[in-house]
Amino acid sequence: MSDRTVLQRLLQDLRNPLFRNGYALMANTAITATLGMGYWLLATQFYTPEEFGRGQALITAMRLFASLTALGFVGALARYIPISGRSTSGVILRGYGMAAATGGAAAVGFLMTLPVWGDIYAVLGTPAMSLFFLGSVLVWSVFTLQDVALTGLRKATWVPVNNLVFGLVKMALLAVLASRLPSGGIFVSWMIPTAIALVPVNFLIFGIQVPRHIRATAETAQPPRLREMGRFLAGDFPGTLSMLAIVYLVPVLVAARVGEATFGRFSMAHTLGCMIELLAMNMAVSLTVEGSFDRSMLAANARRALKRALTIIIPIIGVALLAAPLILTVFGSEFAVEGTTLLRLMALAVLPRVLIEIYLSSLRALGQARKLALVQIGLAVLVLASMLALFPFVDVNAVGYGLLFSEILVALLIFRGLRKILKYGDTGQSSVTQRSPEAA
């Protein structure tokens, strides 16, 4: 394929909101991954291996509690913001409030039971660090959802801009605090820029983009009733909570079982593997948004989203499999020795995850919350059970083996349903009748 043909196809994609949002979120993942590697590389230079592992553990725990409800609202906001009209601000603010309240309550419970979670979290035992951790959970709850709000408003192009600035400021602050705060500097440098970023981004959301969205959708908006959103969340939230266990609870469980330095090396490979997985999830979130706007195009958009996601992700998986030792050696030889197998296993697991995420996002667009929850809960149970069963035999690599086995199995189980969506969408009609000239 010629360079001109590739450019023409890219320009055509960018005129489609599905792919404009999807590419913006993928660009955000690439920016986050690049700056994240730079951040953690600096951390290995400025901090001891033990402090590096402790910083990773604190950030992981904070994100776990902040995401308890925040991630539960990802699907709901992507589903309902596009059709909320004059209720858009209220929908977003309710998401912010419930996420912060639930995350804060969970964080308080965690702080009251610190001895149960291992020595790695003992640094949170002082009143000052406890309050800072609690505040961090509240801040990250909102930070998580503001990107989803922009995506639901079809303005995901602002997401990579926000995270680019956030990443650069975070790296600069890490270097400044290295000599002034050798213990806790990693966690503090992560959270201060996060709190600052809330102000301009939410001004952009509520002051500019929401009014524009209301004007643009005034004639077609169908604001959801609280009861309708409640039914959706009742089905979607348990499943999303299960997916949260895979992303954030697994590292917390590992941290409780290994030393600080070992956890730091595990966490670096795990973080890189999760970043590859995010590429699949980001295109899928955009599919939920566009499916909510126009269900008749769901089959065509799902096919195109799957094709584009595989086109981008397969080469990245190949690079990860071949270059995993070289990538991890950047952080130190110990990282490569202990993390190569884990990173390769997690990269392979992303391939079936693409199919799963396209299927899940299609179910969200269709409002099929019960089936959505069943798939997500089943996947989480498989991952956690297989990881815990394998941990005594293969140590931290149990996370990789558990993910790969579980996601292949679930992909096989949902494949028939995915084929039906790719062919018919939700109308039961032939895909030929749904296909637009642009999607052909």
Side-chain angles (χ1 to χ4, degrees):
M1 185 181 296
S2 67
D3 293 340
R4 184 174 181 180
T5 303
V6 172
L7 179 60
Q8 289 174 339
R9 178 165 292 181
L10 178 60
L11 291 174
Q12 182 184 21
D13 284 348
L14 291 176
R15 287 193 291 268
N16 185 323
L18 167 68
F19 295 107
R20 187 166 60 245
N21 262 356
Y23 285 142
L25 292 173
M26 286 187 172
N28 176 63
T29 302
I31 290 170
T32 302
T34 302
L35 293 178
M37 287 186 65
Y39 177 87
W40 292 116
L41 180 59
L42 284 177
T44 61
Q45 304 302 310
F46 290 133
Y47 294 87
T48 65
E50 290 74 21
E51 182 62 26
F52 179 89
R54 189 180 301 115
Q56 286 265 18
L58 293 178
I59 291 168
T60 300
M62 176 275 297
R63 293 174 74 174
L64 169 65
F65 300 115
S67 302
L68 280 175
T69 304
L71 286 185
F73 271 93
V74 167
L77 292 183
R79 170 72 178 84
Y80 290 113
I81 285 177
I83 61 173
S84 289
R86 295 184 181 279
S87 301
T88 301
S89 292
V91 169
I92 297 172
L93 288 173
R94 279 194 292 271
Y96 283 2
M98 292 186 68
T102 307
V108 170
F110 172 72
L111 292 170
M112 293 177 65
T113 57
L114 276 181
V116 176
W117 299 94
D119 294 340
I120 198 167
Y121 297 110
V123 68
L124 296 177
T126 65
M129 282 301 296
S130 293
L131 288 175
F132 187 80
F133 182 83
L134 179 59
S136 299
V137 169
L138 302 180
V139 166
W140 196 264
S141 298
V142 177
F143 187 83
T144 300
L145 288 181
Q146 66 185 14
D147 286 357
V148 184
L150 286 168
T151 304
L153 293 166
R154 301 172 110 180
K155 297 298 178 183
T157 47
W158 285 103
V159 175
V161 176
N162 170 45
N163 285 298
L164 174 63
V165 175
F166 165 67
L168 292 173
V169 174
K170 187 172 62 175
M171 291 171 66
L173 189 58
L174 177 73
V176 170
L177 292 178
S179 58
R180 302 180 184 183
L181 197 62
S183 178
I186 293 176
F187 188 44
V188 172
S189 70
W190 188 281
M191 292 311 308
I192 296 299
T194 308
I196 294 172
L198 297 187
V199 177
V201 174
N202 281 285
F203 174 78
L204 172 66
I205 291 172
F206 294 103
I208 300 175
Q209 298 302 337
V210 168
R212 289 180 179 177
H213 175 73
I214 293 172
R215 290 194 297 270
T217 61
E219 296 182 1
T220 59
Q222 296 178 330
R225 298 178 180 177
L226 288 177
R227 186 175 181 180
E228 178 187 352
M229 291 186 65
R231 283 200 305 268
F232 181 89
L233 284 169
D236 189 42
F237 182 69
T240 304
L241 196 62
S242 301
M243 302 305 285
L244 174 68
I246 297 175
V247 179
Y248 294 125
L249 179 58
V250 165
V252 171
L253 292 176
V254 172
R257 286 168 166 75
V258 300
E260 293 167 340
T262 299
F263 180 77
R265 293 188 283 270
F266 155 82
S267 189
M268 200 65 253
H270 184 266
T271 298
L272 292 173
C274 287
M275 285 178 179
I276 302 173
E277 194 169 58
L278 274 176
L279 292 172
M281 297 174 69
N282 285 337
M283 182 61 83
V285 170
S286 184
L287 176 61
T288 298
V289 173
E290 296 309 311
S292 299
F293 269 107
D294 185 0
R295 286 192 180 184
S296 68
M297 288 295 296
L298 181 61
N301 281 336
R303 289 193 300 270
R304 295 183 71 186
L306 179 59
K307 182 178 179 180
R308 294 298 189 274
L310 290 174
T311 300
I312 293 170
I313 287 171
I314 288 176
I316 294 174
I317 293 173
V319 171
L321 292 176
L322 294 174
L326 296 176
I327 295 170
L328 291 170
T329 299
V330 172
F331 302 95
S333 58
E334 298 89 350
F335 286 83
V337 171
E338 296 187 29
T340 293
T341 299
L342 175 61
L343 179 54
R344 284 173 169 165
L345 290 168
M346 291 187 68
L348 279 174
V350 174
L351 197 54
R353 185 60 178 265
V354 172
L355 303 179
I356 296 169
E357 287 299 326
I358 295 294
Y359 182 65
L360 293 176
S361 286
S362 298
L363 293 179
R364 287 193 182 96
L366 297 172
Q368 296 185 13
R370 185 177 299 178
K371 189 178 294 184
L372 186 66
L374 180 63
V375 175
Q376 292 175 305
I377 293 172
L379 178 58
V381 169
L382 282 171
V383 170
L384 290 172
S386 56
M387 185 206 81
L388 293 173
L390 292 171
F391 202 91
F393 305 100
V394 291
D395 202 44
V396 296
N397 289 328
V399 175
Y401 285 114
L403 280 170
L404 182 59
F405 163 76
S406 302
E407 293 186 353
I408 288 175
L409 179 57
V410 171
L412 290 172
L413 292 173
I414 59 95
F415 189 72
R416 183 178 178 183
L418 177 61
R419 281 188 63 189
K420 184 178 180 181
I421 288 175
L422 294 174
K423 190 173 182 180
Y424 302 123
D426 68 327
T427 64
Q429 299 172 359
S430 169
S431 60
V432 174
T433 64
Q434 292 185 338
R435 190 176 299 166
S436 68
E438 183 184 28

